[in-house]
Amino acid sequence: MTQTYLRQFIVIAAIACLSLVLTSCGSSVAGTYSDASGAFMLELRSGGKAQFSFEGQTASCSYTVDGTQLNLNCEGDAGKTVFTIHDDGSLTGPPGTFMPALRKHKS
């Protein structure tokens, strides 16, 4: 009976490790994003730090990623915004807002 529990533990541990590796090795959102006109600029850094700029006004922010959502929390009037992360890597703001799609700059 002990071997059965040991096998189950090993299988569960292996699945947990694999899912952790796949999650952490997925495409990183870190980088610089902007709209076509350059009016909106979003810089996502490692460690959850970010900087959001709109027409020269800049706010310090933090962010988290939850599946296909990027939750941006900025100081001051910028406040909180939830972006959708699309398969092509672009970000869009909440529906019904004036926020255009933001595309990642190639490095």
Side-chain angles (χ1 to χ4, degrees):
M1 206 184 276
T2 303
Q3 287 182 343
T4 302
Y5 288 118
L6 183 58
R7 281 189 199 136
Q8 288 176 342
F9 175 77
I10 291 171
V11 168
I12 291 170
I15 290 171
C17 289
L18 181 60
S19 66
L20 181 63
V21 167
L22 291 175
T23 302
S24 64
C25 290
S27 64
S28 171
V29 295
T32 303
Y33 296 77
S34 66
D35 67 320
S37 71
F40 290 89
M41 184 82 70
L42 176 61
E43 183 181 352
L44 302 175
R45 301 179 193 130
S46 61
K49 302 287 185 191
Q51 191 168 30
F52 185 67
S53 301
F54 174 64
E55 293 186 341
Q57 300 294 324
T58 302
S60 294
C61 312
S62 61
Y63 73 94
T64 58
V65 175
D66 184 15
T68 60
Q69 289 190 330
L70 183 137
N71 302 295
L72 187 67
N73 187 8
C74 297
E75 297 173 355
D77 293 335
K80 295 180 181 182
T81 305
V82 177
F83 290 90
T84 299
I85 305 168
H86 298 278
D87 291 340
D88 66 357
S90 65
L91 305 174
T92 53
T97 64
F98 66 93
M99 178 86 57
L102 303 178
R103 303 212 181 278
K104 191 173 188 178
H105 295 202
K106 300 198 188 242
S107 27

